[in-house]
Amino acid sequence: MVEPGARPLPLELLAYVASLPLPALVFSNPTSTVEELQAPIAQNKALQEVLGGSTLAACLTKVQQKEVLKLFAGRKGSVEEIELDLRIPATGETRIMRFSITRSLRVLILTAIPPSPISFAFPSPSPPSTEASAPHSSITTITTDAPTKPPASPKPPVFSLPPDSPVELQELAAMTWDAPIGLLWADLYLNVLWCNKRWFELAGLPADANPNAWPAQVLPEDLPAVQAYAERMTDTLEPCELEFRWVSNDSTESWCVSNLDVVRNTVGERVGVVGSLYNIQKRKTRELKDLREKEQYRAIREAEIAKAAAMEREMALLSKMSTVGLVRIDLEGHFIEANDAWYSIVKLPRDAPLDDWQKLVHPDDIDEIMNNWAIALKTLTPLEVTIRWIYDEISLVQAAPNHPDPAKATGWIGSVTNVTAQKRAEQALLSVSQDREADARKAAEEAEAQKEVVIEEKRQQELFLDVASHEIRNPISAILNNSEFTRSSLEELKKAFVELQKTGSVPSVFSSKIVEDLDEDIEALDSIHSCGLAQERIANDILGLAQIQLSKYKISPIEFDLSHSLRNITRLFKTEAKAKDIDLQLEMGSSIARLGPHARVFADPTRLAQVCVNLLSNAMRFTATSKIRKVTLSVEVSAVPPNRAGPFIPPPETEFHIDKSVPVYLFFSVADTGPGMTEEETSQLFSSKPFFHTTMGGTGLGLWIVKNLCELQAGGVEVSSQPGLGSTFRAFITARSVDAGLPPAESAEKVPVMDGIRHATGIGSAPKVVLTKTAEVLPLKGMTVLCCEDNAINRKVLERQLKKAGAAEVLLAVDGQEGLDLMASDLQRRVDCVVMDIEMPVLDGLSATRIIREREKSMNGVRTRIVGLSGNARPAQIQMGLDAGMDAFVTKPCVTDLLRELLGHENTASSEVMAPVPTPAPKLPILTAESSSES
């Protein structure tokens, strides 16, 4: 019985397939042992020819045998394939075969498909048996136990088998439908009458399609060859074979091979055409890959050969055209061949042996060159030498083995280049370089000498500054101190006469106008004091200008009390303000409370004071002739920097707090009611050179110094002025806070703990500070002070000041040596402190201080406090004094600071460090911020 859905086969086709078409083996079903694999039931003639008479088992390895047995173990009705490399024992060659297994009820048929069927010559079909050749009109159904399959398409013409056909033939017919290769039956005109399922699949046709529609599935490029193939078959009726490509519905190509042959009946008549069709896509892919690899290799090889030939031609042309001499040398060092350039450079005649080049080498160099050449030949290492020829030319010669691996070298390649011009240029350049080096050394020596001159000039200038400062400040100090002493004495005398007048006890020898005369004398002393201050400020400006030009100005920040420093600065102008009837005010805004309870900042108090003093000096001078005479110094602080484009006023802020150790900005403004200035005048104030006022006079140095000092402290200065309305100078500097400010709630309700601020108000609206006198104190009471000062006037002034401060005894010495002698003459009388001038004859203050400290160490004595005194305390000079052993340093004339330093900041109004100012008034009373009618 035929499998349901399968198409019955013509008897002739069954006989053909059974006997001829492919190498095949028939095994008992099922089989699973190697023994049965070695002894199949049948092995057809075609397979025997392929295997050279050997059995299949003999051509398989044990691993391959296991793979074939895995095919046998599949389920019934399935078709599987495997590709193996068979080694034919008879010939020893290897054949690639693809095996397909087909299962029926009782047998397994293993079909071997060669990669190219062209290599097989199929025998002519044996005449089928009489019984099988007789056609039958009835349809006989052949059945097997294979799974039932539904019909895939309308059945083509059906041929029947005799009812008494052998069972094996019926099974073969059923398996042909599922054969792994396509099979067809056609008439002699190649009209397809029947084809199996695999043929439809390979042709890309649906199972229900007309099989004669196959030409549409052929790749158009291959269709002419296929048509010729069909025509050849119909014309000759001889076996034909063709490889061509099908096109599937998804446009992919698939290679197949088709075989056609004529089938004859028992009497030898041609009754039809039988054909096979199977897929050779894998083989074609492999062949195409191999072909592409061969073509690629051949192309690469041809390209390499062409490149080598081109390179050889180019090298020959390059050697001929090169201006560098090239030569070939054997391993023994004999020259074989050279190009034209070599002959031209070496100047060796062409008819002379190449090895005669040695005769042209300069005699002084030949031994060294030949020795180097012998070493290179022996070690096969590259050589590079410079050769001088006997004709006064120089060449660079290079030689190297002709292979990267010296062991494989067959000779040497050498080159020679004429470097005569280059060597001569190098020699000339060397000569020029030597000349330049000599010039450079000479210039360096001259520069060093000039540098020494400049350094010496600068040292002389610094020395001049020190001497000038010392010599200028000494008489000014005497003027200021003596005028203040005399004024103080006259004030006391005046008070005494006023008391005598009240009681009528004035002696008759005194005029009734004695009090008026005393007032005039006091006013004269005030004028003298004012002139002394003016002269001191001018001297300070001149010395400051020199320091700026010498780049000697430096910022030395320390911690100090800002409010105390400002009060000291204001006190400097108290006498001048009173003499000129100027209302001098100091306004410290409530923002100062942000700096903490003591208003301490980290900045340079000396430079800050210098800025304020210069601005106040100008304001006092320009306001002296106005109807309304008022000068106000206002101070604010902010954590926000100002707009550097101006104006320099504290930015509006909502917070009222400054943290510890953060950048802060100190704002100073000096407003006066003077005559004011025009826009043209204000534009020239801070130019690159000092401005001299044509009407009011002045050196113009003060503002120029102010500008430089503000910029050194990351700040700036500006002015706003109108003629007739006065001027306002605004400046700011950058500092750092020391303490944290008061919390916002406290700063709004409590009075900041700072002298001079009555209550907290808004920014820019601080109250006026009123300065009053208090009872005089004696800070040096009972102390013995040694004063070493070479200037007699200053020595006398210091003696009076020290005694007035309460000193029990003041020892005077004109130089350091005399001071040492005084200290050593009476050891029972201990000196409590020493005032030591720096510049003195015989023995200067620094040397005397060192000797005192050495004596204290050797005697294990108590350390005596030593305060240095100088007219020009430069930072370097201060450091020299501290290094020598001084405890402090004071600039003349500064008696208040001197007293504070002598006491080591003890017994003062505050334990905080006081900020020094350039020119404080001598022996001023201790002042507090109490209300008084006198300011």
Side-chain angles (χ1 to χ4, degrees), residues 87-347:
R87 181 172 180 81
I88 311 302
T91 61
E93 62 179 346
T94 300
R95 302 287 296 274
I96 299 175
M97 301 291 287
R98 189 173 67 212
F99 291 92
S100 176
I101 189 73
T102 306
R103 297 177 180 83
S104 65
L105 290 175
R106 293 178 298 171
V107 297
L108 293 173
I109 299 179
L110 186 64
T111 306
I113 304 172
S116 178
I118 297 176
S119 60
F120 296 98
F122 295 113
S124 298
S126 301
S129 64
T130 305
E131 296 179 355
S133 64
H136 296 272
S137 60
S138 62
I139 299 176
T140 304
T141 303
I142 302 175
T143 61
T144 67
D145 291 337
T148 304
K149 297 183 181 179
S153 62
K155 295 180 180 180
V158 177
F159 299 86
S160 60
L161 287 174
D164 56 350
S165 298
V167 175
E168 292 80 358
L169 187 60
Q170 295 182 27
E171 291 178 352
L172 183 61
M175 288 186 291
T176 303
W177 177 253
D178 291 320
I181 64 172
L183 298 174
L184 67 81
W185 173 260
D187 60 18
L188 296 177
Y189 298 101
L190 291 184
N191 295 311
V192 179
L193 304 176
W194 176 92
C195 55
N196 70 344
K197 181 173 62 177
R198 181 60 174 166
W199 192 91
F200 277 102
E201 293 174 356
L202 294 177
L205 292 173
D208 58 351
N210 183 354
N212 289 302
W214 62 266
Q217 300 300 113
V218 178
L219 186 69
E221 297 177 6
D222 295 351
L223 187 57
V226 174
Q227 291 175 344
Y229 165 68
E231 292 174 358
R232 186 170 65 254
M233 180 64 198
T234 56
D235 291 344
T236 63
L237 295 178
E238 297 293 335
C240 297
E241 179 180 309
L242 179 67
E243 294 179 0
F244 62 94
R245 289 167 291 179
W246 299 93
V247 180
S248 61
N249 294 331
D250 58 358
S251 300
T252 58
E253 301 177 4
S254 177
W255 277 95
C256 288
V257 60
S258 173
N259 288 275
L260 297 176
D261 200 358
V262 176
V263 177
R264 302 174 185 272
N265 58 16
T266 55
V267 296
E269 295 177 349
R270 300 181 179 92
V271 295
V273 176
V274 67
S276 64
L277 184 69
Y278 54 90
N279 191 306
I280 59 170
Q281 182 63 34
K282 290 184 179 180
R283 176 174 63 83
K284 278 295 184 180
T285 301
R286 188 165 56 249
E287 289 177 355
L288 290 175
K289 180 180 178 181
D290 294 342
L291 181 61
R292 282 195 296 269
E293 290 178 353
K294 290 179 181 179
E295 290 294 334
Q296 185 177 7
Y297 174 77
R298 183 169 57 253
I300 293 174
R301 183 58 181 164
E302 290 176 354
E304 289 177 351
I305 294 173
K307 182 178 179 181
M311 184 177 294
E312 186 175 353
R313 292 193 301 271
E314 291 174 358
M315 289 301 297
L317 182 60
L318 179 63
S319 175
K320 184 177 181 180
M321 298 177 60
S322 175
T323 58
V324 176
L326 301 175
V327 62
R328 291 174 55 236
I329 311 168
D330 62 19
L331 291 176
E332 301 297 328
H334 299 296
F335 285 40
I336 302 172
E337 183 182 1
N339 67 348
D340 295 342
W342 188 89
Y343 281 101
S344 177
I345 294 173
V346 177
K347 293 182 171 49

Side-chain angles (χ1 to χ4, degrees), residues 588 750-752 754-761 767-771 929-932:
M588 289 189 286
K750 297 182 179 180
V751 178
M754 291 187 295
D755 291 341
I757 300 181
R758 292 190 178 189
H759 60 274
T761 60
K768 176 181 177 181
V769 176
V770 181
L771 306 176
E930 299 177 357
S931 301
S932 173

Side-chain angles (χ1 to χ4, degrees), residues 576-649:
E576 183 179 356
K578 186 174 182 180
K580 295 180 179 179
D581 194 22
I582 296 176
D583 182 11
L584 176 61
Q585 297 184 7
L586 169 63
E587 294 183 356
M588 289 189 286
S590 60
S591 62
I592 302 298
R594 301 185 187 185
L595 296 174
H598 297 292
R600 292 173 63 80
V601 294
F602 188 75
D604 189 333
T606 302
R607 301 309 179 197
L608 183 149
Q610 199 168 353
V611 170
C612 294
V613 166
N614 278 327
L615 295 178
L616 286 172
S617 298
N618 286 341
M620 297 289 286
R621 181 169 67 253
F622 282 81
T623 310
T625 58
S626 300
K627 292 182 179 180
I628 300 176
R629 302 173 185 178
K630 183 177 181 180
V631 175
T632 304
L633 171 61
S634 302
V635 185
E636 296 282 0
V637 66
S638 175
V640 180
N643 183 358
R644 291 189 177 270
F648 295 157
I649 58 176

Side-chain angles (χ1 to χ4, degrees), residues 429-445:
L429 184 61
L430 178 61
S431 177
V432 172
S433 177
Q434 292 174 346
D435 293 342
R436 289 179 178 177
E437 288 180 2
D439 294 342
R441 283 194 299 270
K442 182 178 179 181
E445 293 172 357

Side-chain angles (χ1 to χ4, degrees), residues 883-899:
D883 293 341
M886 292 182 176
D887 297 289
F889 210 99
V890 177
T891 305
K892 298 177 183 179
C894 192
V895 177
T896 303
D897 287 340
L898 175 60
L899 295 178

